[in-house]
Structures are given as structure tokens and as C-alpha cells.
Amino acid sequence: MQIQFCGAAREVTGSAHLLTLDDGYKILLDCGLYQGRNKEMEDFNENFIFKPESVDCLLLSHAHIDHSGRIPKLVKDGFRGQIYATHATRSLCAIMLLDSAFIQEKDAEYFNKKRGKFGEGKQPLYTRADVKPAMERFVGLPYEHWERIHPNVEVLYRDAGHILGSANVTLRIKRADGTTTTFGFSGDIGRPNRPILRDPQPMPPCDYIICESTYGDREHDLPPNEIERFLKIIKDTCVEKRGKLLIPAFSLGRTQEIVHMLDQLENAGRLPKIKVFVDSPLAVNATTVFGAHPECYDAELQEYMLTDDNPFGFNELTYTQSVEESKALNYLKGPAIIISASGMMNAGRSKHHLRNTMGSPKNTIFIVGYCSPETPGGKLRAGASGLKLYGDYHELRAEVVIMDSFSAHGDRSEMIDFLAGQQDTCKKIFLVHGDIERMEAFGAVLKENDFREWVAPTLEQTIEL
Ligand SMILES: [Zn+2]
């Protein structure tokens, strides 16, 4: 049996690992897109390290595009097996992959337009038409159930507490010599005590583990009382200054957390009467999927729903989908809260809203997540006094507030808690999904915690098990 690292090796995107069993059966763990615009990334996305038609099945940990975003390409290039995922991941992929295909199409169109009629046109990695045949290969699995996917392999999905439907994946594999090897794949490890989702569930004892290491070198800030701080920002901006509060947020996860906090404030009679808009088509669709998968909610939300059956909706909240509705928000008079994607304000409707709100001291831009340094969000986080948007320079006169306690990735201690007890059985941990510095730091922590051996595999490296 062997494992080959086909993505997210000393990198944070493009998750893909290929397990080949003693009998030659090939299992792909995740099929993620590399997110970035350089040539190397494009080549990686275009060409699989393995032959797609040679893979027998795909086990998907969760719907984030850096884990699922090359699935339509995999199927387009000849993969004919089943794609196993939790029910909620399957539902989310149906909308996330369409959105990703649309972005691929737009990117190719933009590139070809810029380049003019000379040279060969760029083809999108895949189109919306490629998503349907990919979705037809999905098989939904429940959590906490050993499913036999091959005579020698059983699979267990357990809640990872990272995003809706997220899971860690454990495989029980019968070897040629009659012994059993247990192989664990952490996917992305979530965090305990977060709203909406259950806490991460540890994997059963494993012989080998592929473990993410995104925040392997740091501890998150202790969460301040998020809801009280949020309410104060709303009151300062929308009641005191009669301004607009712009919350750029990722469509999946962060948006629903924010909306649920507002829903709680509304139910408690504490939310001032202000119009709230969720202005992102993907966020609207993602929220619908959240509503359709209450099996993923934690006990607190289940109880909340005994008195409020819609935790993501209230009277003053409007979900806007069409471009016309979105544009109408530009002419809105008076205070309002606008939640819009992308979270980094480098694309999508939030970029337009940023341009419209950043010039007035009455308004606040409330940043609730990580932003790459080169994006408008990243520049605002670094203290920029103005930004170039759509070709023009815009002075920043609005207030910028940052809250970093929303992370969906476990920190160093939370990851060690997740792995607790594995020291007894685990022969080797393969660290993926992180920069090498972070892996080395986390590797040192693993050693301190009596783990036998850790490895940071390189891209394309194959290791015998
Ligand atoms: Zn993720």
C-alpha cells in the first residue's frame, strides 16, 4: 500500500492525496483547486499528477473549493468512480462547483478579451456544463457510519466542526497479509464551541494520519464577547451616526454565523430597527443549504429552533439575488447593514459596496476574516488610508473595525486536542495543508506530545505504508 501527495504538500490549497491499496485499488482523498493566479498554479490545476481514469473512488472531506474545486475537471478528464461525501457536503458542492465554474468561465473570457484576436484563446478549466456529470457521481453518506466501499475497505465520516457537512475520514483497510491498517485523513480541523456547528469529533485510533497544519504554529485570540461587541458596532454606526455598516464575509459559513447572531439579537428584542441585506447570490444559496441540513447543527441551535424555526431569517432581513436589487442598495438612504461577498473585497459585490461606503465617516467597514495582503481587505487591515478601486483612487473616511475570532480552523492546541490519544497507535503523521515553517513548528509540538514520527511530504512524493 502506498500514499502519494498530489496537492496541498507544503501549500495551503489544492488538497489531493492518492492512496493505492495492496490490490491496486486507488482512492483519492479530496480533489482541491489551487487558488492563485500564477502560471505554476494554473499548470497544477490543468494537469493531474495521476491518471483520472485510473482512480477508483474519491473520498471528499468538505465542500471548500481548495478541497473540492477540481472535481468537475477530474470527471471531465475520465474519472468514472463514485464520489463519497456527507449529505450536506454534496448539497453544498452542487452550488459551490457551479459558482467555481462560472468564475473559470469569466476568467477565461476576461483573459481572451484582453489578449484580443491574436494567439490561441484560453479555455476555462471547466464550465457549468461540466458540473452536472460530476454531481451525478456523488454518493451521500451519514456521519458515524462505517460504509463498505470495496471488499477490503470500510469508511467512517465524522464531524470536523469546520464548515457545514465537513468531516474527517477514517479508512479501515484489509491488507494482503490479512492484517488491518487504519488510515485517517483529518480534512480541515474545525474548532470547539463555535455557533451552529458541532465540535470536531476525534478519529478512531489510526496507524497513519494525514493531518492539516494551517495554524499549527499559533493560538487564536480568545474570543471576545462577539455578540456584545457586534451590537455595539451596529449601534455606533447605524443608530448614533445613521451610517451604513458593511460586512464583507465569505458566502459559506461566516455569512450564516453573522446572520444567526443578528437573528439572536432580534429574538431578544435587542436589535435596533435597521434594514439588513445579505447581498451575494452564493450566500443566499448557501443559506438555503444550511436550512436544509439541520442534522449538522449543534445541540444549542437545535434547542434554539424549538422557538425560532428559521435561525437565518427575521423581518428586517432581505436576501438580494438579482443585480438590479444589488444596485438599488447603492441609492439606499439611511442606515443599513450590508453583508456581502467576497470577504476580501477583491471581487464580487462587496467590492462595489466598499467603493460606495468607504468615503463617508458615518460608515463602518467591519472585517471578520483573513484577507490576503494584496487585496483591498488586506490593505485596509494593514491601515491603508485609501484604495485604488476600478481604476480610481478612493480616500478612506469610513471607520474600519477588525474582529478575528471567527476562524473556522483549529489552532495548535485545538489540533493537539483533536489528535489526543493517537500517540499509542499512530506510526506516522503526514503534515499537509500548511507552509513548511508552520509544519516544522507543529511537528515540534507533536514530538513534545509523544508522537513517534511526523513527515512533511513534498508534491508528488510517494511513501510506502
Ligand atoms: Zn476548509
Side-chain angles (χ1 to χ4, degrees):
M1 187 162 90
Q2 55 180 223
I3 179 83
Q4 187 181 22
F5 297 88
C6 305
R10 306 185 180 201
E11 293 266 8
V12 288
T13 58
S15 177
H17 316 292
L18 185 65
L19 194 61
T20 304
L21 308 190
D22 295 337
D23 64 3
Y25 190 77
K26 286 184 191 292
I27 300 169
L28 186 62
L29 304 166
D30 280 355
C31 190
L33 192 74
Y34 256 96
Q35 290 164 309
R37 288 182 187 268
N38 63 44
K39 179 85 179 74
E40 206 180 316
M41 299 278 191
E42 279 181 18
D43 287 349
F44 173 88
N45 286 331
E46 278 290 343
N47 305 298
F48 288 101
I49 285 168
F50 46 84
K51 287 195 178 80
E53 69 273 19
S54 73
V55 178
D56 292 291
C57 76
L58 165 63
L59 302 178
L60 179 63
S61 65
H62 66 292
H64 272 151
I65 287 298
D66 59 330
H67 294 256
S68 70
R70 278 203 301 168
I71 290 175
K73 170 83 174 149
L74 184 79
V75 175
K76 187 174 135 184
D77 287 4
F79 170 76
R80 289 294 172 267
Q82 309 275 224
I83 301 167
Y84 296 97
T86 65
H87 296 295
T89 294
R90 180 189 181 197
S91 301
L92 281 174
C93 278
I95 58 168
M96 301 279 288
L97 295 178
L98 270 178
D99 185 70
S100 173
F102 185 61
I103 293 169
Q104 306 290 341
E105 288 173 33
K106 285 280 158 209
D107 274 359
E109 196 182 300
Y110 179 75
F111 180 89
N112 292 339
K113 208 162 139 189
K114 254 184 116 175
R115 192 168 163 157
K117 56 190 171 186
F118 304 104
E120 255 181 55
K122 180 178 167 174
Q123 293 297 318
L125 194 63
Y126 52 86
T127 65
R128 281 168 286 178
D130 295 317
V131 174
K132 188 169 175 283
M135 288 315 301
E136 282 169 355
R137 312 222 69 84
F138 271 73
V139 177
L141 292 181
Y143 286 114
E144 299 294 333
H145 163 77
W146 283 102
E147 175 82 12
R148 188 172 293 281
I149 59 165
H150 171 74
N152 295 332
V153 186
E154 286 175 293
V155 174
L156 174 73
Y157 275 73
R158 269 198 175 157
D159 204 328
H162 168 62
I163 59 164
L164 190 86
S166 64
N168 52 63
V169 185
T170 310
L171 296 95
R172 215 151 51 191
I173 302 159
K174 206 146 150 226
R175 306 294 301 265
D177 62 3
T179 60
T180 299
T181 296
T182 307
F183 193 96
F185 174 42
S186 73
D188 281 352
I189 302 166
R191 307 184 61 200
N193 309 316
R194 294 298 308 159
I196 305 174
L197 303 177
R198 283 187 294 261
D199 293 355
Q201 302 299 308
M203 296 183 287
C206 295
D207 298 298
Y208 299 98
I209 295 174
I210 296 181
C211 185
E212 70 125 329
S213 52
T214 317
Y215 288 122
D217 65 340
R218 68 187 64 185
E219 306 284 350
H220 293 312
D221 294 338
L222 276 180
N225 194 332
E226 278 165 1
I227 203 157
E228 295 305 323
R229 189 159 170 227
F230 188 27
L231 183 60
K232 186 170 182 320
I233 294 165
I234 294 169
K235 284 182 174 167
D236 288 350
T237 306
C238 302
V239 180
E240 295 296 319
K241 294 194 282 183
R242 309 280 303 153
K244 292 194 176 62
L245 176 61
L246 172 63
I247 311 175
F250 297 104
S251 304
L252 173 60
R254 204 62 43 90
T255 291
Q256 290 77 24
E257 281 188 33
I258 303 270
V259 168
H260 181 51
M261 280 207 291
L262 291 167
D263 193 83
Q264 285 171 284
L265 288 168
E266 167 72 14
N267 279 343
R270 301 178 68 202
L271 188 66
K273 214 169 160 48
I274 300 159
K275 286 194 165 55
V276 182
F277 299 90
V278 173
D279 185 31
S280 150
L282 183 60
V284 175
N285 292 337
T287 308
T288 307
V289 175
F290 264 72
H293 287 281
E295 78 276 10
C296 297
Y297 300 165
D298 63 9
E300 213 178 344
L301 186 55
Q302 305 266 10
E303 192 170 323
Y304 183 87
M305 287 178 68
L306 294 176
T307 52
D308 176 1
D309 60 4
N310 184 3
F312 308 110
F314 50 93
N315 274 346
E316 298 300 319
L317 175 66
T318 307
Y319 284 94
T320 58
Q321 209 141 13
S322 72
V323 175
E324 290 71 37
E325 285 175 301
S326 176
K327 281 187 177 158
L329 296 180
N330 296 343
Y331 305 102
L332 195 72
K333 296 267 177 282
I337 300 171
I338 301 171
I339 304 159
S340 183
S342 76
M344 301 192 195
M345 294 172 276
N346 55 337
R349 295 177 179 178
S350 67
K351 190 172 169 185
H352 290 274
H353 293 306
L354 174 63
R355 179 177 59 184
N356 291 334
T357 51
M358 67 184 288
S360 167
K362 290 201 300 188
N363 300 333
T364 301
I365 298 151
F366 184 28
I367 301 177
V368 291
Y370 170 79
C371 302
S372 299
E374 74 284 2
T375 61
K379 287 176 186 161
L380 290 181
R381 288 185 69 109
S385 57
L387 294 169
K388 204 174 165 191
L389 296 170
Y390 305 105
D392 294 319
Y393 183 79
H394 299 265
E395 198 183 334
L396 174 70
R397 301 186 67 208
E399 194 179 340
V400 175
V401 179
I402 297 166
M403 195 145 112
D404 274 336
S405 55
F406 285 93
S407 179
H409 278 275
D411 62 16
R412 181 174 54 198
S413 305
E414 289 162 346
M415 288 202 286
I416 289 292
D417 288 347
F418 170 76
L419 294 169
Q422 294 285 358
Q423 293 91 330
D424 300 339
T425 54
C426 187
K427 300 184 188 93
K428 216 178 255 186
I429 295 194
F430 305 104
L431 295 183
V432 296
H433 209 280
D435 304 327
I436 186 68
E437 296 78 30
R438 292 186 178 198
M439 289 178 177
E440 278 166 359
F442 189 55
V445 179
L446 288 174
K447 279 276 176 199
E448 278 166 31
N449 282 273
D450 301 325
F451 280 88
R452 274 176 257 181
E453 193 183 346
W454 68 274
V455 184
T458 51
L459 191 63
E460 296 193 41
Q461 188 177 355
T462 299
I463 295 173
E464 288 293 329
L465 305 172

